[in-house]
Amino acid sequence: MNLEAFGWNEFFAENFEPFRREGYGVGRIFLQHNKIYMLYTEEGELPAEASGRLRYLATGSADLPAVGDWVVIRVRDTERKATIQEILPRKSKFSRKMVGSRDEEQIVAANIDTLFVVVGLDNDFNPRRIERYLIMARESGAHPVVILNKADVSDDLEEKRRVVERVALEVPVLVLSAKQGEGIEELSPYIGAGQTVSLVGSSGVGKSTIINRLLGVEKQKTQDVRTGDERGKHTTTHRELLQLPTGGLIIDTPGMRELQLLVRDQGLRDTFDDIEALAALCYFRDCGHESEPGCAVRAALENGELAAERFGNYRKMQEEMAQLAARQNRRVVEAEKERVKKLHQSLKKFNKRR
Ligand code: GDP
Ligand code: ZN
């Protein structure tokens, strides 16, 4: 397999050079489940695990490989398995704070060149949320591009475009109708050979529809397995880093989809920053503002500084957020189960083919 087809370029080649001289191989991760990774390599697709040394030296999960990473490998020929020795420097990375630990960063996807921030023109139109995504993209090292989708059902397209352009500044803003297939060609500058993209945006804005358009087929059903021989052809394998017919690559992981939730959470904080400021003064860090001692929020309610109605709205929003989080968590858990099942199936197939 030709590595350029998977996004290999001078940046990675330069960083790989010392390893190449030592006789190491290289691959890009297209799927991860716990400790097992699946890689695109010059020798075809290989399952891999991180070396003991890499795991030992990792100071947190950000030091472990993630989907999109280019990794230095040793291939154990007898087993057709690889050991990951190093992660090549990332051009960009998307991360989130891990649940339950304060500062630990978890990498959700790496080496994305362009992040499509998808916005639905039908409803769900929140410039503030778009702003959040743009900040997130910039922090990651990827270039954001805003996609205004569902142009076919918008009656105030120009107005909305202006609003977004004010937020987006120098970021390109594209208008399309994924369902109709209109405007899809506007994405072509970003999905050429070796370029990696990913999509974020609230659920229902049309991300899957866009991905299907880009793939030109129903996602993941007809991707060939290019093993270098004919046997693997037309085998269905689950993958989260896919090749597009245009030569580009797309990363679609549950983790990237989950990022939308974090953005919403941040949105809530902004709208109620007066209450958040009070809450910061509560004695307990996780104060529920019920009957805890030293609660600054209750104090403000009692002395009239904070209107009961406003606090009620805040509560309602919080509850909606919690329900949303629970729904999304369930969905993530379901998706994860499905992922594991498919991974095991593809590993089984992989083993059978040998
Ligand atoms: P996702 O949750 O972001 O992946 O959104 P989907 O791709 O599943 O789309 C959600 C709904 O919006 C589906 O019913 C799509 O058919 C519809 N949709 C997607 N793109 C368009 C579009 O350009 N115009 C219209 N009218 N509907 C669309
Ligand atoms: Zn409190």
Side-chain angles (χ1 to χ4, degrees):
M1 285 202 269
N2 156 17
L3 292 180
E4 274 82 14
F6 299 104
W8 185 250
N9 59 34
E10 260 171 47
F11 173 81
F12 300 114
E14 210 168 279
N15 286 295
F16 178 60
E17 186 53 26
F19 298 102
R20 192 189 61 77
R21 275 189 252 120
E22 296 282 323
Y24 286 101
V26 70
R28 191 171 194 194
I29 298 173
F30 70 80
L31 182 64
Q32 178 198 355
H33 175 62
N34 290 341
K35 292 181 176 164
I36 304 175
Y37 299 90
M38 290 298 291
L39 310 178
Y40 296 123
T41 77
E42 271 170 326
E43 304 177 32
E45 293 171 8
L46 290 179
E49 280 183 273
S51 72
R53 184 182 150 276
L54 186 67
R55 272 181 282 142
Y56 176 76
L57 290 177
T59 54
S61 34
D63 295 335
L64 291 173
V67 169
D69 266 328
W70 282 100
V71 290
V72 175
I73 53 171
R74 273 276 186 235
V75 180
R76 287 172 281 156
D77 266 333
T78 46
E79 298 164 88
R80 289 279 298 157
K81 265 188 196 157
T83 310
I84 300 173
Q85 311 288 337
E86 293 287 348
I87 305 166
L88 290 181
R90 293 165 172 143
K91 283 188 80 178
S92 70
K93 61 176 177 149
F94 282 84
S95 55
R96 62 168 176 224
K97 299 276 179 270
M98 294 235 290
V99 189
S101 71
R102 211 141 271 167
D103 299 307
E104 199 172 1
E105 186 185 17
Q106 187 183 22
I107 307 297
V108 165
N111 298 318
I112 291 168
D113 298 307
T114 304
L115 182 75
F116 292 134
V117 176
V118 187
V119 179
L121 283 169
D122 45 353
N123 36 47
D124 167 70
F125 191 82
N126 182 345
R128 211 154 193 177
R129 191 178 300 159
I130 300 170
E131 210 167 16
R132 288 277 158 217
Y133 278 125
L134 296 179
I135 291 166
M136 203 174 75
R138 286 206 192 88
E139 283 173 353
S140 78
H143 297 286
V145 169
V146 177
I147 295 182
L148 302 179
N149 188 36
K150 308 198 188 182
D152 54 305
V153 291
S154 174
D155 41 17
D156 53 356
L157 170 62
E158 284 314 315
E159 166 65 22
K160 281 179 168 161
R161 193 215 289 258
R162 269 195 298 278
V163 170
V164 172
E165 277 171 347
R166 265 203 296 277
V167 174
L169 301 175
E170 83 287 7
V171 172
V173 179
L174 313 178
V175 176
L176 54 106
S177 171
K179 202 170 172 181
Q180 264 71 25
E182 276 160 33
I184 287 288
E185 65 287 346
E186 296 222 39
L187 304 185
S188 42
Y190 310 100
I191 52 171
Q195 290 180 288
T196 304
V197 299
S198 189
L199 295 86
V200 291
S202 304
S203 114
V205 295
K207 295 182 297 297
S208 311
T209 311
I210 294 170
I211 292 173
N212 288 342
R213 281 280 171 196
L214 294 180
L215 287 171
V217 286
E218 212 191 311
K219 191 192 164 194
Q220 308 211 351
K221 287 228 168 114
T222 50
Q223 278 263 320
D224 289 356
V225 175
R226 296 178 185 87
T227 50
D229 61 30
E230 288 297 300
R231 280 180 297 164
K233 256 199 155 167
H234 306 300
T235 312
T236 310
T237 337
H238 178 63
R239 55 199 67 208
E240 293 175 344
L241 169 61
L242 298 119
Q243 286 181 295
L244 299 172
T246 54
L249 298 133
I250 191 160
I251 293 184
D252 183 24
T253 65
M256 282 303 284
R257 293 199 166 219
E258 240 184 300
L259 287 178
Q260 73 193 46
L261 186 65
L262 305 183
V263 170
R264 269 193 226 192
D265 199 3
Q266 195 61 53
L268 173 72
R269 294 232 163 80
D270 287 346
T271 0
F272 290 97
D273 40 15
D274 53 335
I275 299 178
E276 291 293 332
L278 284 170
L281 302 174
C282 292
Y283 183 78
F284 292 105
R285 203 185 161 141
D286 58 349
C287 183
H289 322 307
E290 304 277 358
S291 53
E292 291 89 342
C295 175
V297 174
R298 289 235 76 91
L301 278 170
E302 272 153 35
N303 69 22
E305 201 183 303
L306 172 63
E309 198 193 337
R310 183 160 171 75
F311 185 61
N313 284 342
Y314 172 72
R315 276 280 201 245
K316 217 168 88 198
M317 272 280 260
Q318 257 190 332
E319 206 157 297
E320 279 168 18
M321 294 285 305
Q323 277 170 11
L324 178 71
R327 258 207 316 279
Q328 294 229 342
N329 268 340
R330 265 202 305 281
R331 240 180 275 147
V332 169
V333 169
E334 285 306 312
E336 183 63 16
K337 273 191 201 153
E338 188 62 16
R339 220 159 67 86
V340 176
K341 207 172 93 193
K342 283 180 179 158
L343 178 65
H344 284 165
Q345 281 166 356
S346 43
L347 282 176
K348 230 188 269 167
K349 258 183 222 145
F350 183 86
N351 286 331
K352 242 187 247 157
R353 283 207 307 271
R354 288 163 41 206

